[in-house]
């Protein structure tokens, strides 16, 4: 299409881009109007309109964008990399903006020369020429973006953030890596050459250029998000292992004053104050703050969860960290992850054979306390600690450890809980009037919560740690029985009968479990008091006894029906000791008419004076140990079978008891089953290959055996009574499942309370003894 010379001259002057020139010359309104008239007369407006955009596309693709990206190569030297990258990015953006402004001025001239009303609708750039130009510029920039461009942008904003902190907030603790003297902490330059102000000005102008081109989010959004998340990560990590202080408020203040002020300056052209007419910008800033708060809550909560085992062990010192986590989880949906993580953490740290039962119990109680503070409804608590509860149930010494923790000499968490007394009673509801404080802190019931948990919350109870520990076995009876056994052992092991401490423990337990369950223990303590009175009377000169009772004998007279079952072991006492017991029995019969004593010689303590190899030593031993050494004092050499018959004690049991004197270096086994009293003067005559004495730890282990049957053994004996009922059921009904057997026993033999798990244990034992057959989920008697 031909254009006359004058028109071509005007086109080249108004639109220098047609000559690949990006520098415009001044033009008058008359010249623009004249060009419009000429093009309209020659019907060239559509042609110039289309050619204009085709030329712009070509210049952007082959000149402007390649020139912009060429500014980022070659890479500066590593020493000057941060500052050089900053200047590099600023200069390139400034140059691009100048070219952008040139094209915008060209578009304004196009609006006058080729108004849209004179351009056919099929050729128009919709929705507007400026929109189409900006989109093409953005697309071309992204299409040619070098792979390391984000790194350059990151360094630009990292330097600017550093300068902002030191220049505006004086809070640069997270950037204390510059230690050289006479250097600015922000820009790392010598103090006399500080570039902080220049960097701040260049940073503000660069962001303004990007915003005016509509590319601030496209160029910087990803990098800003990455940088700020890294700063949040670093700030949160500063709080690690500091459980005693709450950090949530400080983190929120830091985010709003440091991070959000910096972002506001970026998006608001360097100003902190957003004008009222810029409501959309205010909303965008608030949305960014909300997202960053969510990220910070998530990061902080995960950090606390990752170290929650240490927080549990250090509770209540770590109460602040638990409160912070509770606040975070109210903001983000992380409860399911929290439950899974903490449960797995407790399983790995506690639930394996290398951890002693007392340590597991300590961790369990600490977890109960921590999680009860975290979640008063105990819903999460029960879910998280369920594996610990099941694991402890499988350890036979758990009950003994729990009872010892309740009443032990040292301080323990369970002892402290017991000392607190009965749990607080729920408040009496008053529908007529609410206190001012009550309605201000009222919260609705949580959604998706089990009815039992809602009932627990409504009753205004606090988590009962002791009840949850007792609930390991699902029954209070087994704990009370174990306490009775432990109390009996303590009372039997005393030489001087003292019950003040035991009375205190008993009163605390009565407030927790009730007087009926602990009536036997109360009788046991009364037996101690009564025994002291009887001993004092029998040993007094005016007791009226026919024969004087040796003062060395002191009896603990028990009411057998209230004390635990003693272990079924026998022992024949030496004649000299038996004579002393007979004198005491006669004195008792004369004092308590129609009553006599039945001695249990395996129980109690004996104080002896041992003279051996010229040394005299006073020792406190068990009656069995005393009887053994008395027999060796009468006869220095014994065969195991002979001594077993003499003492009426099984050889295997007697050998265990002799170990104590072997460890003391008093008795030696010279050959198999032959024991002799060691004589230093004749030691050289002993065969060199004589069997060595047992180590002390073996002795201690053997002597640690209880004189009482365990609570589980006693409980099993009680439940064995039901075996006849079970046999009768299965004889009549052929086969029954576990739950049906349990229901029928509860109906016809309700005098003893027992759980389905206890019944299952007994039935499985009968299966192992081939007295029952279990198949298809039902039990039946074996076919004869």
């Amino acid at each position: 299409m031909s254009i006359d010379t004058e028109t071509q001259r005007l086109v080249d002057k108004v639109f220098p881009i047609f000559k690949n020139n990006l520098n415009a010359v001044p033009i008058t309104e008359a010249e623009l109007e004249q060009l419009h008239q000429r093009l309209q007369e020659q019907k060239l407006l559509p042609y110039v309109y289309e050619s204009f955009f085709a030329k712009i596309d070509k210049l952007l693709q082959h000149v402007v964008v390649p020139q912009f990206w060429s500014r980022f190569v070659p890479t500066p030297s590593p020493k000057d990399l941060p500052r050089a990258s900053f200047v590099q990015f600023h200069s390139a953006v400034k140059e691009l903006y100048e070219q952008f402004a040139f094209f915008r001025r060209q578009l304004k001239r196009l609006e006058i020369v080729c108004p849209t009303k004179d351009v056919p609708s099929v050729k128009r750039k919709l929705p507007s020429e400026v929109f189409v130009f900006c989109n093409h510029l953005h697309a071309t920039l992204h299409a040619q973006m070098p792979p390391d461009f984000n790194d350059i942008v990151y360094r630009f904003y990292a330097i600017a953030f550093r300068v902002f902190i030191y220049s505006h907030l004086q809070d640069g603790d997270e950037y204390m890596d510059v230690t050289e003297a006479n250097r600015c902490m922000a820009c790392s330059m010598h103090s006399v050459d500080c570039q902080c102000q220049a960097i701040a000005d260049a940073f503000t102008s660069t962001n303004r250029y990007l915003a005016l081109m509509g590319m601030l989010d496209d160029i910087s959004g990803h990098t800003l998000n990455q940088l700020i998340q890294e700063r949040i990560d670093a700030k949160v990590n500063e709080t690690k292992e500091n459980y005693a202080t709450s950090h949530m408020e400080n983190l929120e203040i830091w985010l709003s004053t440091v991070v959000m002020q910096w972002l506001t300056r970026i998006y608001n052209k360097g100003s902190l104050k957003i004008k009222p007419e810029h409501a959309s910008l205010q909303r965008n800033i608030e949305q960014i703050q909300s997202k960053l708060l969510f990220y910070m809550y998530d990061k902080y909560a995960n950090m606390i969860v990752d170290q929650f085992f240490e927080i549990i062990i250090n509770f209540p010192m770590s109460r602040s960290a638990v409160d912070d986590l509770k606040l975070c989880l109210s903001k983000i949906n992380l409860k399911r992850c929290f439950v899974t993580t903490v449960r797995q953490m407790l399983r790995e740290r506690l639930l394996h054979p290398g951890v002693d039962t007392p340590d597991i119990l300590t961790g369990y109680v600490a977890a109960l306390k921590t999680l009860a503070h975290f979640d008063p409804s105990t819903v999460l608590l029960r879910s998280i600690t369920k594996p610990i509860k099941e694991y402890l149930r499988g350890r036979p010494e758990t009950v003994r450890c729990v009872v010892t923790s309740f009443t032990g000499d040292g301080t323990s968490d369970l002892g402290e809980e017991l000392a607190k007394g009965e749990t607080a009673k729920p408040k009496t509801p008053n529908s007529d009037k609410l206190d001012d404080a009550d309605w201000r802190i009222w919260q609705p019931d949580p959604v998706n919560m089990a009815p039992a948990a809602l009932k627990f919350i409504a009753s205004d109870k606090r988590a009962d740690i002791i009840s949850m520990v007792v609930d390991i076995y699902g029954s209070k009876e087994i704990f009370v029985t174990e306490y009775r056994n432990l109390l009996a052992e303590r009372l039997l092991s005393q030489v001087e009968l003292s019950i003040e401490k035991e009375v205190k423990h008993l009163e605390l337990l009565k407030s927790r479990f009730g007087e009926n369950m602990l009536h036997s223990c109360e009788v046991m303590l009364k037996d101690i008091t009564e025994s002291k009175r009887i001993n004092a009377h029998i040993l007094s000169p005016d007791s009226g006894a026919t024969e004087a009772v040796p003062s060395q004998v002191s009896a603990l007279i028990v009411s057998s029906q209230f004390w635990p079952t003693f272990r079924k072991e026998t022992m024949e006492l030496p004649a000299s000791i038996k004579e002393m017991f007979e004198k005491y029995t006669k004195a008792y019969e004369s004092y308590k008419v129609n009553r006599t004593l039945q001695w249990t010689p395996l129980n109690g303590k004996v104080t002896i004076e041992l003279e051996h190899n010229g040394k005299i030593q006073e020792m406190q031993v068990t009656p069995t140990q005393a009887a053994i050494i008395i027999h060796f004092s009468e006869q220095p050499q014994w065969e195991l079978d002979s001594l077993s018959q003499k003492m009426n004690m099984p050889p295997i049991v007697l050998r265990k008891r002799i170990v104590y004197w072997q460890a003391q270096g008093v008795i030696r086994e010279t050959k198999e089953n032959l024991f002799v009293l060691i004589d230093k003067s004749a030691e050289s005559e002993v065969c060199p290959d004589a069997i060595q004495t047992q180590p002390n730890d073996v002795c201690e282990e053997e002597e640690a055996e209880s004189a009482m049957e365990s609570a589980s053994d006693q409980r099993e004996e009680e439940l064995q009574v039901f075996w006849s009922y079970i046999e009768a059921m299965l004889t009549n009904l052929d086969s029954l499942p576990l739950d049906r057997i349990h229901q029928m026993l509860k109906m016809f033999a309700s005098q003893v309370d027992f759980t389905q798990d206890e019944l299952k244990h007994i039935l499985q034992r009968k299966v192992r003894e081939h007295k029952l057959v279990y198949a298809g989920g039902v039990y039946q008697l074996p076919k004869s």
Side-chain angles (χ1 to χ4, degrees):
M1 185 175 289
S2 60
I3 303 177
D4 62 70
T5 306
E6 181 61 23
T7 303
Q8 186 65 55
R9 184 189 67 79
L10 283 173
V11 168
D12 292 342
K13 183 177 181 180
V14 173
F15 302 115
I17 60 171
F18 286 116
K19 293 296 184 181
N20 297 326
N21 185 1
L22 300 182
N23 294 312
V25 296
I27 199 78
T28 63
E29 293 287 340
E31 288 176 313
L32 293 174
E33 185 62 31
Q34 182 184 0
L35 178 59
H36 169 68
Q37 292 294 336
R38 281 180 168 276
L39 293 175
Q40 191 174 34
E41 290 171 359
Q42 299 175 30
K43 298 182 180 180
L44 295 175
L45 285 176
Y47 171 73
V48 172
Y49 185 87
E50 281 189 305
S51 299
F52 178 86
F53 281 99
K55 192 63 179 180
I56 282 183
D57 291 349
K58 192 172 184 179
L59 286 173
L60 289 177
Q61 189 169 359
H62 297 288
V63 178
V64 176
V65 172
Q67 182 178 331
F68 174 74
W69 293 126
S70 68
R71 296 292 184 262
F72 300 103
V73 291
T75 304
S77 62
K79 182 178 180 181
D80 299 326
L81 185 61
R83 288 192 301 275
S85 298
F86 185 91
V87 175
Q88 189 181 49
F89 183 75
H90 169 69
S91 302
V93 170
K94 182 179 180 182
E95 182 182 19
L96 180 64
Y97 174 73
E98 290 172 352
Q99 293 172 343
F100 173 83
F102 164 76
F103 284 112
R104 284 298 308 272
R105 291 193 295 270
Q106 290 284 286
L107 286 169
K108 285 188 176 295
R109 292 181 181 183
L110 183 67
E111 290 177 7
I112 298 173
V113 174
C114 300
T116 54
K117 63 183 179 63
D118 296 332
V119 179
S121 58
V122 294
K123 297 182 181 293
R124 291 177 191 167
K125 303 296 182 182
L126 299 176
S128 69
E129 289 77 6
V130 174
F131 180 84
V132 172
F133 163 72
C134 290
N135 270 359
H136 190 66
L137 174 61
H138 299 168
T140 308
L141 281 168
H142 281 286
Q144 300 184 22
M145 181 182 292
D148 62 340
F149 176 68
N150 283 332
D151 296 336
I152 297 170
V153 179
Y154 179 88
R155 289 191 288 269
F156 174 83
Y157 282 100
I159 293 174
F161 189 59
R162 182 188 189 113
V163 170
F164 173 76
I165 288 177
Y166 282 101
S167 302
H168 296 276
L169 300 172
Q170 304 299 322
D171 181 20
D173 292 343
E174 53 194 311
Y175 289 113
M176 295 302 291
D177 55 325
V178 180
T179 57
E180 188 176 342
N182 299 322
R183 282 189 177 271
C184 174
M185 299 293 289
C187 64
S188 304
M189 298 292 290
H190 286 286
S191 300
V192 294
D193 299 323
C194 179
Q195 298 292 318
C196 288
Q197 188 58 50
I199 289 174
D201 294 341
F203 177 70
T204 301
S205 61
T206 302
N207 288 315
R208 186 169 64 251
Y209 294 151
L210 291 172
L212 290 172
M213 290 188 289
M215 294 190 296
L216 183 56
D217 276 334
D218 290 341
I219 296 294
S220 308
H222 173 75
T223 302
L224 279 174
N225 187 59
Q226 177 188 354
L227 176 65
I228 291 172
Q229 285 186 0
E230 288 179 1
R231 297 271 59 83
I232 291 175
D233 292 350
K235 196 70 178 178
V236 168
N237 285 334
E238 291 176 7
T239 67
K240 194 171 184 179
E241 299 181 0
N242 186 0
Y243 320 121
T245 306
S246 174
H247 303 284
M248 199 69 258
E249 184 178 358
N250 290 335
L251 289 173
E252 290 174 343
I253 293 173
W254 172 82
L255 185 69
S256 62
T257 56
V258 177
V259 176
M260 294 314 302
Q261 286 188 22
W262 186 61
L263 287 176
T264 302
R265 290 176 182 272
I266 291 175
Y267 289 104
N268 197 34
K269 301 177 182 179
S271 174
L272 280 176
K273 187 175 181 181
I274 300 177
K275 296 179 181 179
E277 57 267 24
H278 296 158
S280 61
L281 176 60
Q282 181 67 46
R283 287 194 298 270
N284 290 339
I285 295 294
E286 290 173 355
Q287 289 177 1
I288 292 173
Q289 183 172 4
S290 177
K291 292 178 180 178
L292 291 178
L293 274 172
F294 184 90
Y295 178 82
M296 187 176 69
Y297 289 139
D298 182 77
K299 181 68 179 179
Y300 186 48
N302 277 290
M303 188 198 69
I304 295 177
V305 171
D306 288 343
Q307 51 188 348
F308 205 74
F309 184 80
E310 287 75 18
I311 289 173
I312 286 174
I313 299 302
N314 287 283
F315 192 83
M317 186 190 75
S318 58
R319 187 189 303 270
S320 297
V322 179
D323 290 336
D324 281 354
L325 179 61
K326 188 175 181 179
L327 176 62
C328 288
L329 294 188
S330 68
K331 309 284 187 180
I332 59 178
N333 186 18
L334 199 66
K335 284 191 176 180
R336 179 173 296 180
C337 175
F338 168 72
V339 170
T340 304
T341 304
V342 176
R343 183 191 294 161
Q344 182 63 25
M345 187 181 298
L346 291 172
R347 182 182 287 112
E348 292 175 355
R349 300 291 291 271
L350 291 178
L351 308 187
H352 56 83
V355 184
D356 294 333
T357 302
D359 294 334
I360 298 177
L361 187 62
T362 299
Y364 179 57
V365 174
L368 291 178
K369 286 186 173 183
T370 307
L371 294 169
H373 177 74
F374 176 81
D375 176 31
S377 71
T378 73
V379 176
L380 295 181
L381 181 153
R382 295 177 188 276
S383 176
I384 291 172
T385 59
K386 184 179 179 181
I388 310 179
K389 177 180 172 182
E390 293 175 349
Y391 186 84
L392 284 171
R393 187 180 298 159
R395 283 203 172 188
E397 68 273 21
T398 297
V399 183
R400 174 57 60 96
C401 291
V402 171
V403 176
T404 304
S405 297
F406 280 154
T407 60
D409 295 333
T411 58
S412 67
D413 290 339
L414 285 178
E416 293 175 359
E417 286 293 321
L418 184 63
K420 292 178 182 178
E422 193 173 1
T423 54
K425 295 181 180 179
K427 295 180 181 178
T428 303
N430 185 356
S431 57
D432 298 332
K433 184 178 180 181
L434 288 174
D435 295 337
D436 181 69
D438 290 339
W439 71 264
R440 288 183 183 277
I441 63 174
W442 176 87
Q443 293 289 335
D445 291 336
V447 296
N448 299 329
M449 184 171 285
L454 291 176
K455 183 179 179 181
F456 186 92
I457 297 174
S459 65
D460 197 28
K461 292 181 179 179
R462 67 179 179 87
D464 186 356
I465 304 300
I466 290 183
S467 295
M468 291 179 183
V469 172
V470 171
D471 193 47
I472 290 174
Y473 281 86
S475 171
K476 294 180 181 180
E477 286 78 4
I478 194 166
F479 284 90
V480 172
T481 303
E482 191 65 45
Y483 168 69
R484 190 172 61 147
N485 287 353
L486 184 63
L487 178 62
E489 289 180 13
R490 287 180 176 174
L491 297 178
L492 290 173
S493 65
Q494 294 181 15
V495 177
E496 300 275 341
L497 299 178
S498 176
I499 62 171
E500 288 76 10
K501 186 189 298 183
E502 303 301 341
V503 169
K504 178 182 177 182
H505 290 154
L506 179 61
E507 291 301 319
L508 291 173
L509 289 172
K510 282 166 63 177
S511 67
R512 174 67 61 172
F513 297 104
E515 294 191 11
N516 291 337
M517 297 187 71
L518 291 160
H519 175 66
S520 295
C521 299
E522 196 169 7
V523 173
M524 290 164 62
L525 294 180
K526 287 181 179 178
D527 284 346
I528 298 296
T529 304
E530 182 67 11
S531 296
K532 292 170 70 175
R533 188 183 64 79
I534 292 173
N535 282 326
H537 173 78
I538 290 177
L539 296 177
S540 64
D542 53 351
S543 63
T546 56
E547 293 185 64
V549 179
S551 60
Q552 295 92 335
V553 179
S554 177
L556 171 57
I557 303 167
V558 303
S559 306
S560 58
Q561 66 270 31
F562 293 99
W563 282 65
T565 305
F566 294 99
R567 286 190 180 275
K568 298 174 177 61
E569 295 183 11
T570 60
M571 182 182 71
E572 187 74 19
L573 291 170
S576 57
I577 305 298
K578 189 184 296 185
E579 183 182 354
M580 296 169 64
F581 282 5
E582 289 174 354
K583 290 181 179 180
Y584 191 98
T585 302
K586 291 179 181 178
Y588 178 80
E589 290 173 347
S590 64
Y591 176 56
K592 294 283 189 179
V593 182
N594 298 327
R595 293 189 185 181
T596 188
L597 295 177
Q598 182 179 350
W599 296 89
T600 57
L602 290 174
N603 303 312
K605 285 293 181 182
V606 180
T607 302
I608 63 174
E609 191 176 85
L610 182 67
E611 181 179 356
H612 184 239
N613 294 326
K615 294 182 180 179
I616 299 177
Q617 182 180 4
E618 187 176 280
M619 305 177 70
Q620 190 177 95
V621 295
T622 65
T624 306
Q625 293 163 355
I628 290 171
I629 203 62
I630 288 174
H631 286 302
F632 272 92
S633 68
E634 297 172 352
Q635 179 180 320
Q637 179 173 304
W638 286 91
E639 288 188 354
L640 183 64
D641 291 339
S642 299
L643 185 59
S644 171
Q645 293 177 4
K646 182 76 172 177
M647 295 182 63
N648 191 23
M649 181 176 289
I652 190 171
V653 177
L654 179 59
R655 174 178 282 278
K656 291 181 179 180
R657 303 297 179 259
I658 294 176
V659 166
Y660 175 80
W661 294 114
Q662 288 181 267
Q664 297 295 326
V666 176
I667 294 174
R668 172 175 291 168
E669 186 176 5
T670 56
K671 60 182 182 179
E672 188 175 2
N673 295 333
L674 181 62
F675 297 89
V676 299
L677 191 67
I678 296 176
D679 185 357
K680 291 288 185 180
S681 61
E683 190 169 353
S684 59
E685 302 174 6
V686 177
C687 180
D689 59 350
I691 300 174
Q692 298 297 315
T693 60
Q694 299 292 332
N696 288 331
D697 56 348
V698 175
C699 167
E700 292 173 1
E701 181 180 348
E702 298 296 344
E703 292 306 323
E705 293 182 3
S706 171
M708 306 294 168
E709 287 187 350
S710 67
S712 57
D713 291 340
Q714 294 179 46
R715 181 66 170 167
E716 192 162 331
E717 285 185 7
E718 291 177 1
L719 296 178
Q720 288 295 332
V721 176
F722 298 122
W723 174 237
S724 58
Y725 289 94
I726 297 170
E727 282 188 306
M729 289 179 202
L730 295 177
T731 300
N732 294 328
L733 301 175
D734 188 47
S735 63
L736 288 172
L738 174 66
D739 56 347
R740 180 64 175 155
I741 295 174
H742 185 250
Q743 291 173 4
M744 294 179 71
L745 285 176
K746 295 283 285 185
M747 183 183 303
F748 297 110
S750 58
Q751 64 270 24
V752 178
D753 189 22
F754 56 93
T755 65
Q756 192 166 303
D757 287 339
E758 290 175 318
L759 176 61
K760 181 179 179 181
H761 178 73
I762 291 182
L763 294 178
Q764 291 298 102
R765 182 173 177 178
K766 294 299 181 182
V767 170
R768 290 193 297 271
E769 294 173 356
H770 305 290
K771 294 181 179 179
L772 275 181
V773 175
Y774 180 72
V778 296
Y779 293 92
Q780 58 186 357
L781 295 173
K783 304 297 182 182
S784 56

